[in-house]
Every structure is written in C-alpha cells, then in structure tokens.
Amino acid sequence: MAWRAELEQNLRDERRFFLRLAYSQLREQQDAADVVQEMSLAAWQAIDQFEGRATIRTWLVGWDSQVQNFGCSAKA
C-alpha cells in the first residue's frame, strides 16, 4: 500500500521520460502514448508485487519494455 503513492508520483513526474523511451523504440507518437498508458495500468495493477529491491522508476522501465514487446509482437 505504501508504494502506491510513490508509483503515482513517479508516473506523473516521469511521464515524458517514458514517452521518449517508448518513442525511441516505436517511432510512432500515438503508439508510444499507448504503451505508456498500458504500462501505467499494468504497473498500477501489479504494485502489490513490487518488493522494493529496485527503484520504482527502474521497475517501471521493465514494465515499459514488456508492454512494448507485447505490442510489437501483437502487430506483427
């Protein structure tokens, strides 16, 4: 429960970072925005699994990569 506030703050503060990260891989603005939205939702739903062994930002980068990989394979 304590991680939810930090996650919310991180998603708000780091949104531009995650958009740039997704755009650098996908090269489509709308696809990047979709990935960030999906990543945010997936991370929010899984926050109870966060163990604190990394920073929230690092954990979110992993979610961003997973969502991008899933999105790319689904389009293929």
Side-chain angles (χ1 to χ4, degrees), residues 3 46-56 59:
W3 297 114
I47 191 62
D48 293 331
Q49 298 170 15
F50 181 69
E51 297 174 355
R53 292 183 289 161
T55 65
I56 292 274
W59 188 68

Side-chain angles (χ1 to χ4, degrees), residues 2-45:
W3 297 114
R4 289 195 184 275
E6 188 174 342
L7 174 63
E8 186 175 346
Q9 182 72 37
N10 215 293
L11 288 171
R12 200 172 27 248
D13 293 348
E14 302 288 347
R15 181 167 177 77
R16 289 180 60 190
F17 167 77
F18 288 110
L19 282 169
R20 285 193 316 269
L21 183 63
Y23 182 78
S24 73
Q25 297 295 315
L26 302 172
R27 298 289 183 214
E28 290 289 335
Q29 202 71 11
Q30 187 57 51
D31 289 346
D34 289 346
V35 162
V36 171
Q37 184 68 30
E38 289 294 322
M39 178 221 39
S40 299
L41 179 60
W44 187 260
Q45 290 172 339

